[in-house]
Amino acid sequence: MGVAFFYRRLLTRPVFVGVTGSLGKTQLKNAIAVVLSRLGAVKFDPGTDNRTYDAAKNLLQVRQSHAAVVQEIGMAGPNTMARPVRLYRPDIAIITVIRSDHSADFGSRREHVLEKAAIIRDLPVDGWAILNADEPDLEVLQAETRANVCTYGLSTHADVRAGTVVARGPAPVQFDLCIAGNSRRVTTRLHGEHNVYTALGAAAVGHVVGLPINEIAMAVGNIEAVSGRMQFVEHDDGVRFLLDDFKASVGSLAAIADYLKNFEAGSARKVLVLGSINYGSGDSTGDYLQVIESVDGCCDEILLVGEFTKSLEKTRLPEAVRLFETTRHCANDLLPRVRSGDLVVLKCRNMREHLRRLEISRRATVNCWQMDCERKSFCDECRFLEAHID
């Protein structure tokens, strides 16, 4: 850590970009790296590690030859942002959205917002704070920085904004990218209307470093979804999967509901496969009923998978809902029935639940179906995938 603090002071050429927020940090970080690659080599960690130690480890791999460095900076509660920010010393800092993920740790939302503001508070005067124009706390955040401010969003007053957004699956998101009176139509590779903000945030970073709108639009069109984050996969036989099996926060569940509502399936079916979503220690029945209510009517089947389903067995559920204790039972029931055009959405709290085996088993051999695996990786990266483990 001490070496990293010292080493950062020696790195004068690269532009350092810090990313924080309650949702979308990893996807935005990767998107910014794509845009800034127009300047030269970009150093960033494509994973989700965002602690002070992770920032230090990544810093020690930066070289003066890098054009830019992009780092995700997370928060674990009150007074936890300042240290990684002091270490990383961003020239540009961007905040995605501020939601309820950590609100219980603070006395008020304002305290939560001010903690996030640590990333922009000590920016250099000639640096840039890039803020979401559609966030209710925009003015509070603007007051916390002495740096230049660039806003992005759907609002007409945003410096970098999107016009005429089209987000109807199975097609990826399209929108008009508007910067400084100029406009370019962009067809992304991203799914889900909320990912317009990912594209706009990355575009805003490109704008403040001086990239022309044509280059920004081209780069934004090349941004790929991060694995497990609204990742759209279509098999050779036309069956479609949306892999959103990394996180199940309230905001990400709302994004899934919106996606299902806006997906044009025609005569095909839409199926939501839902693993665990509870982050608390109490009864989670109400959480699942709330999610079911939000998607019932916009998909044909809702399949719940995991031991938590035992608590729902005596609950009155809509006809579309079915319960499976294991992923294997769900696969045996669902996969023989899917047809070309069908959409299967996989959603769970973390990758260790391994719902992804439903998708993998249609294109590769899967013999491991255990439910209590603690490996923190997706199954298609696991050497035990073909091992006979129940």
Side-chain angles (χ1 to χ4, degrees):
M1 295 289 293
V3 172
F5 267 97
F6 175 76
Y7 185 58
R8 170 64 183 93
R9 273 66 182 168
L10 302 178
L11 295 167
T12 55
R13 178 179 182 265
V15 175
F16 281 77
V17 183
V19 182
T20 196
S22 300
L23 295 170
K25 293 186 294 295
T26 303
Q27 181 66 76
L28 178 56
K29 173 187 63 182
N30 290 17
I32 291 170
V34 171
V35 172
L36 293 185
S37 66
R38 296 273 165 172
L39 301 177
V42 178
K43 176 68 181 75
F44 75 106
D45 178 3
T48 62
D49 295 333
N50 54 36
R51 302 162 298 176
T52 307
Y53 170 81
D54 302 310
K57 181 180 67 174
N58 293 335
L59 264 177
L60 294 175
Q61 298 174 30
V62 177
R63 299 293 178 262
Q64 292 285 14
S65 58
H66 283 112
V69 186
V70 190
Q71 177 67 45
E72 176 180 340
I73 298 177
M75 180 184 73
N79 304 313
T80 57
M81 285 283 293
R83 190 172 185 229
V85 170
R86 283 199 305 271
L87 164 69
Y88 186 67
R89 295 176 62 197
D91 304 300
I92 301 169
I94 181 168
I95 301 175
T96 60
V97 295
I98 301 175
R99 296 293 182 263
S100 59
D101 293 45
H102 296 284
S103 290
D105 299 327
F106 296 90
S108 66
R109 176 177 171 85
R110 182 178 176 83
E111 291 180 16
H112 186 185
V113 172
L114 292 177
E115 179 66 22
K116 290 287 190 188
I119 198 170
I120 62 172
R121 193 168 291 125
D122 293 324
L123 285 169
V125 176
D126 60 349
W128 284 93
I130 301 180
L131 306 176
N132 190 330
D134 302 328
E135 278 289 282
D137 306 289
L138 176 62
E139 291 185 3
V140 175
L141 291 170
Q142 286 176 316
E144 290 296 311
T145 186
R146 58 179 182 165
N148 303 295
V149 174
C150 176
T151 60
Y152 68 97
L154 304 182
S155 302
T156 56
H157 61 79
D159 299 311
V160 177
R161 67 179 183 87
T164 319
V165 177
V166 178
R168 300 189 69 83
V173 174
Q174 301 178 33
F175 66 95
D176 290 329
L177 175 63
C178 306
I179 305 175
N182 297 309
S183 178
R184 297 291 185 276
R185 189 66 180 170
V186 177
T187 298
T188 75
R189 301 180 184 181
L190 304 173
H191 289 259
E193 187 171 3
H194 66 289
N195 268 322
V196 172
Y197 286 94
T198 299
L200 289 174
V205 174
H207 174 57
V208 302
V209 300
L211 289 175
I213 189 171
N214 286 339
E215 286 196 36
I216 294 172
M218 188 176 299
V220 167
N222 290 328
I223 297 168
E224 300 278 1
V226 173
S227 182
R229 309 292 182 95
M230 300 294 284
Q231 180 186 1
F232 188 82
V233 176
E234 183 166 354
H235 287 206
D236 292 339
D237 61 358
V239 175
R240 299 142 169 176
F241 285 84
L242 186 74
L243 310 179
D244 201 51
D245 49 346
F246 186 87
K247 190 176 182 181
S249 62
V250 174
S252 68
L253 287 164
I256 287 293
D258 289 340
Y259 187 80
L260 285 165
K261 291 172 184 174
N262 292 321
F263 190 90
E264 297 178 334
S267 59
R269 294 172 301 158
K270 295 184 283 186
V271 180
L272 171 63
V273 182
L274 186 65
S276 66
I277 62 173
N278 183 42
Y279 281 87
S281 57
D283 183 9
S284 59
T285 302
D287 297 332
Y288 290 102
L289 294 178
Q290 186 175 350
V291 175
I292 290 169
E293 182 181 3
S294 70
V295 298
D296 188 30
C298 60
C299 57
D300 300 279
E301 297 183 47
I302 304 169
L303 310 182
L304 307 186
V305 183
E307 286 197 7
F308 69 87
T309 57
K310 294 178 181 178
S311 65
L312 296 171
E313 288 177 349
K314 297 182 180 179
T315 305
R316 186 177 180 85
L317 299 170
E319 291 184 6
V321 178
R322 298 181 63 193
L323 308 178
F324 298 90
E325 192 171 335
T326 71
T327 304
R328 188 172 196 171
H329 288 143
C330 181
N332 290 340
D333 176 85
L334 173 64
L335 297 185
R337 299 187 289 109
V338 293
R339 299 290 182 267
S340 179
D342 288 353
L343 172 71
V344 180
V345 177
L346 305 182
K347 182 66 179 174
C348 59
R349 187 173 64 181
N350 59 56
M351 66 178 73
R352 283 179 288 189
E353 294 186 45
H354 305 310
L355 280 185
R356 185 169 296 201
R357 287 173 293 186
L358 289 166
E359 185 270 328
I360 297 172
S361 63
R362 298 195 76 250
R363 55 180 171 82
T365 301
V366 175
N367 291 321
C368 174
W369 292 97
Q370 65 174 326
M371 290 294 289
D372 57 352
C373 175
E374 289 298 313
R375 289 180 175 271
K376 192 178 179 182
S377 63
F378 290 118
C379 290
D380 44 8
E381 304 166 358
C382 181
R383 61 191 177 94
F384 295 111
L385 185 64
E386 298 183 18
H388 289 271
I389 304 174
D390 292 313

